[in-house]
């Protein structure tokens, strides 16, 4: 099967332990994901958001590392867990 690229906007919220990821939103293209991440960063209760993409083969589950497209507001310095 061919590789596909997923575009995801991921908000962040404050918790008792620091910062945690909120509910991710999948988008159709790199422009839409950046716009969505910016909107999420301004939503009440969110302190920031990140737009990223991952490319891989859904049939095998093999995906490359996430590529951060843009950050908004407060997001963790280490995003290697995406």
């Amino acid at each position: 099967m061919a590789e596909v690229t997923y575009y995801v906007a991921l908000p962040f919220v404050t918790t008792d332990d620091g910062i945690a990821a909120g509910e991710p939103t999948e988008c159709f293209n790199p422009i839409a994901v950046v716009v969505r991440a910016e909107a999420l960063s301004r939503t009440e209760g969110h302190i920031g958001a990140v737009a990223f993409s991952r490319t891989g083969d859904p049939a095998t589950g093999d995906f490359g590392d996430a590529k951060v497209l843009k950050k908004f507001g407060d997001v963790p310095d280490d995003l290697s867990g995406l």
Side-chain angles (χ1 to χ4, degrees):
M1 180 172 230
E3 285 191 336
V4 297
T5 300
Y6 291 103
Y7 298 97
V8 180
L10 183 65
F12 289 91
V13 297
T14 314
T15 67
D16 292 339
D17 298 326
I19 297 175
E23 186 68 32
T25 303
E26 188 176 342
C27 298
F28 293 108
N29 61 54
I31 295 170
V33 77
V34 169
V35 170
R36 183 68 179 139
E38 182 176 20
L40 287 171
S41 74
R42 298 177 188 277
T43 301
E44 186 176 338
H46 296 163
I47 59 169
V50 63
F52 70 93
S53 67
R54 289 193 75 196
T55 301
D57 185 344
T60 64
D62 291 329
F63 282 86
D65 291 338
K67 294 181 184 174
V68 175
L69 304 175
K70 190 121 185 192
K71 296 179 188 179
F72 299 94
D74 277 338
V75 298
D77 291 329
D78 181 12
L79 296 171
S80 62
L82 298 178

